[in-house]
Amino acid sequence: MSALPKYGSIQECVEDFIKYRDTTRVLSALREYLNQRIFGRLIGVEHTFKLEDGTGITPDLTLAYENDSACCFIELKWRISQSSIKNELLDLKRYFNARQSLNGSSQKVTHNDIIMICHINDSNVVIDAVNELAGTPDVGFLKQEGVAIWSWYLGIPKGADTDANPEMRFGWLYGKTRNLELEKKIRMPGGIVIPASIAFSPTDRYLFTKDKPPVHYAMAFLLQHILSSFQDSTHRSQVIPLSLGMVDELYEKSKIFFPGWRDAESETIQARKEWIREAVDLIIQLKIKVSVPLPRTRKTIQQVLCARLERLRQKSRGAGPRVRKLRVRPDTMSAKLSTWFNSKT
């Protein structure tokens, strides 16, 4: 039985869903932005490089420049906590020290850049950790040229309607890359701006990054995008029987939404199947009737799932049903109590 996610509130659960969803948009938008060949040659998304020691690195995005003699690795982090940030920063050293020829090029890579991009809300956690680690001998590479940290956020364009799709903005936080064109752009007032037409393009978009999503995000993905394909064309509405035995079939229908799915290694495929298995298990635990089409509700799917997961968590802890307090305005309290008392006598 899959473990229930732990959140301090339903709102925190919803925010994690939105944060991961928007990070997938960042990945897709950055791919389009970097593919303009202004900054170099985009190698790919989640392209794995084998290193001399036999291990591999899989950055979210890889950009080659200076005639393929230099490489820029980009790592997207949808969530960073105080407990994880130090390990995240230490792991960047593997990218920084990688030296090899790029696929399709005979030119040997002479130097690498690594850019970590985090959500703007995590900026303080990241910079505090960098300042703390910068004096440590093992992480001296953080002070070297070629290591940079950016932030991203979504904002409504100036003068646009409040219900317009936001544009995507990237800002400089720390360090410097050796890609002069990219460095010039990020240092401009306002940073790098990707318009809403690209950031929210409905076509050719990834719905996952390489990092594990919140389980309720995977649940919503299956309910909204995958399970509808099981509908019998002869019926307008039907309930789909869901079981853990369907995980392999669900992955086959889902894999095109994962970046780098064509070249994914067996370990990556198994990890993604586990994400789906956990999501299916919790859909079953919540006793959600998977019907096509999904029933309409005033709330968003993330609000519904987060609320139901919280109720299941309370139930698993033995908490009783939540009792609503009767709120009565002071000036009518006496009248209401009198009416109630008279009805009982």
Side-chain angles (χ1 to χ4, degrees):
M1 186 175 290
S2 299
L4 293 168
K6 296 180 181 179
Y7 288 102
S9 65
I10 293 176
Q11 182 60 31
E12 185 182 336
C13 173
V14 171
E15 287 173 356
D16 254 11
F17 181 103
I18 295 172
K19 207 171 178 182
Y20 188 90
R21 180 199 64 195
D22 288 346
T23 304
T24 67
R25 289 172 173 161
V26 171
L27 178 62
S28 302
L30 266 180
R31 180 198 59 184
E32 295 302 313
Y33 183 75
L34 296 176
N35 207 25
Q36 301 176 82
R37 290 188 172 269
I38 299 173
F39 312 103
R41 180 171 68 95
L42 182 65
I43 301 298
V45 180
E46 286 195 23
H47 186 88
T48 299
F49 297 89
K50 294 297 183 182
L51 305 182
E52 294 177 356
D53 61 1
T55 61
I57 55 174
T58 308
D60 288 291
L61 291 155
T62 305
L63 182 72
Y65 64 102
E66 292 182 0
N67 295 321
D68 289 349
S69 65
C71 205
C72 183
F73 298 125
I74 298 176
E75 277 284 288
L76 290 176
K77 299 298 177 185
W78 76 272
R79 179 179 61 184
I80 291 179
S81 64
Q82 290 183 338
S83 60
S84 68
I85 180 55
K86 290 184 180 180
N87 288 333
E88 300 278 10
L89 290 171
L90 290 171
D91 194 51
L92 298 181
K93 191 173 184 179
R94 298 171 60 242
Y95 294 87
F96 193 66
N97 292 335
R99 297 287 185 272
Q100 67 172 48
S101 297
L102 297 172
N103 291 0
S105 174
S106 59
Q107 179 72 40
K108 188 74 173 179
V109 173
T110 58
H111 62 264
N112 295 332
D113 294 331
I114 173 65
I115 304 172
M116 175 190 279
I117 304 179
C118 65
H119 190 273
I120 194 169
N121 290 348
D122 297 325
S123 299
N124 290 337
V125 174
V126 175
I127 296 304
D128 288 346
V130 169
N131 293 332
E132 183 179 341
L133 290 172
T136 307
D138 291 341
V139 290
F141 73 96
L142 289 174
K143 293 183 177 180
Q144 297 182 37
E145 189 177 41
V147 178
I149 300 174
W150 299 354
S151 67
W152 69 268
Y153 70 95
L154 301 176
I156 301 296
K158 189 175 181 179
D161 295 334
T162 54
D163 58 348
N165 280 333
E167 60 190 8
M168 197 173 286
R169 289 184 173 270
F170 298 85
W172 175 88
L173 288 178
Y174 174 86
K176 181 182 180 182
T177 71
R178 286 165 285 199
N179 187 312
L180 299 181
E181 291 299 322
L182 204 55
E183 193 66 21
K184 187 191 303 181
K185 280 285 187 181
I186 196 65
R187 298 289 184 140
M188 290 177 63
I192 293 174
V193 180
I194 298 180
S197 58
I198 296 177
F200 286 82
S201 174
T203 59
D204 201 19
R205 209 194 104 206
Y206 300 122
L207 296 183
F208 290 89
T209 70
K210 68 179 181 182
D211 290 335
K212 182 179 180 179
V215 67
H216 48 294
Y217 178 90
M219 293 165 68
F221 164 76
L222 292 176
L223 291 169
Q224 291 181 312
H225 299 284
I226 302 303
L227 292 170
S228 59
S229 64
F230 287 82
Q231 182 181 19
D232 186 345
S233 59
T234 61
H235 296 84
R236 292 187 60 186
S237 179
Q238 65 182 115
V239 175
I240 300 169
L242 190 62
S243 70
L244 292 175
M246 298 171 64
V247 169
D248 288 341
E249 184 180 4
L250 290 171
Y251 173 75
E252 287 301 314
K253 292 179 179 292
S254 305
K255 63 184 181 182
I256 61 171
F257 295 98
F258 291 92
W261 64 272
R262 288 188 177 87
D263 303 317
E265 297 182 346
S266 58
E267 290 183 5
T268 301
I269 293 173
Q270 290 306 314
R272 290 170 176 174
K273 285 184 178 181
E274 181 61 20
W275 301 351
I276 292 174
R277 190 201 66 77
E278 290 179 1
V280 170
D281 189 20
L282 283 176
I283 290 174
I284 294 172
Q285 285 189 55
L286 290 176
K287 299 179 181 179
I288 296 175
K289 289 185 178 180
V290 183
S291 60
V292 179
L294 287 174
R296 293 183 179 181
T297 173
R298 292 181 181 179
K299 295 182 179 180
T300 62
I301 192 167
Q302 57 264 32
Q303 290 173 325
V304 172
L305 290 175
C306 285
R308 295 190 69 166
L309 285 169
E310 176 59 22
R311 287 199 294 269
L312 182 61
R313 191 171 71 89
Q314 290 181 359
K315 184 178 179 181
S316 66
R317 292 187 306 173
R322 186 175 61 180
V323 179
R324 288 188 176 183
K325 294 181 179 179
L326 177 63
R327 295 183 179 180
V328 184
R329 293 173 59 184
D331 59 339
T332 61
M333 184 179 293
S334 298
K336 286 182 178 292
L337 286 175
S338 177
T339 302
W340 176 84
F341 180 80
N342 291 334
S343 68
K344 300 296 181 181
T345 58

